[in-house]
């Protein structure tokens, strides 16, 4: 019941994305816009990446019978997180409603989704032994 470096990295990414949801993303002549003002497919993909990373962390915490479920959720977190990172990059590059600049919320969202992808990738690659003892088979008798 311990988190490895991949899960911790993804959890940091979740924190960044949650913080980005509360900050402003674009200044416009009519006022500041946040992610909820410009909600679209990009924001939905970022939220899906956040949910996938949370599922990966929870499955790692609740690991009981083996690493199959945590690895499967980590694989899906890589795929969904990559889609969310691409969507966050597009959100940084686009400027909706005649926005004049990009604020910290968009950059934090991009950093968070990238941390989710990196953390999920590290969770898949981590080959440290788990809390279970390795199998020690009986040696075969010699002829």
């Amino acid at each position: 019941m311990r988190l490895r470096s991949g899960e911790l990295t993804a959890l940091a990414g979740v924190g960044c994305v949650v913080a980005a949801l509360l900050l402003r993303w674009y200044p416009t002549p009519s006022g500041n816009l946040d992610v909820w003002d410009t909600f679209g497919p990009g924001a939905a993909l970022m939220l899906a990446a956040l949910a996938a990373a949370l599922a990966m962390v929870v499955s790692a915490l609740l690991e009981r019978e083996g690493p199959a479920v945590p690895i499967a959720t980590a694989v899906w977190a890589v795929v969904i997180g990559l889609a969310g990172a691409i969507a966050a990059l597009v959100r940084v590059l686009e400027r909706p409603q005649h926005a004049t600049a990009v604020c910290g919320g968009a950059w934090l969202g991009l950093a968070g989704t990238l941390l989710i992808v990196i953390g999920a990738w590290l969770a898949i690659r981590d080959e440290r032994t788990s809390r279970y003892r390795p199998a020690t088979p009986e040696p075969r008798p010699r002829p």
Side-chain angles (χ1 to χ4, degrees), residues 50-130:
L50 183 140
L54 283 176
M56 179 185 72
V57 170
V58 168
S59 70
L61 283 174
L62 300 177
E63 174 189 9
R64 298 267 188 251
E65 297 299 322
V69 174
I71 293 296
T73 56
V75 168
W76 280 107
V78 167
V79 172
I80 297 170
L82 190 59
I86 292 169
L89 180 64
V90 169
R91 302 280 287 177
V92 165
L93 295 177
E94 75 169 340
R95 293 191 178 163
Q97 301 177 13
H98 308 292
T100 56
V102 178
C103 294
W107 292 109
L108 196 58
L110 177 62
T113 53
L114 288 175
L115 282 173
I116 288 171
V117 172
I118 292 167
W121 186 263
L122 288 174
I124 292 171
R125 288 196 57 218
D126 194 358
E127 295 178 1
R128 286 183 284 167
T129 58
S130 68

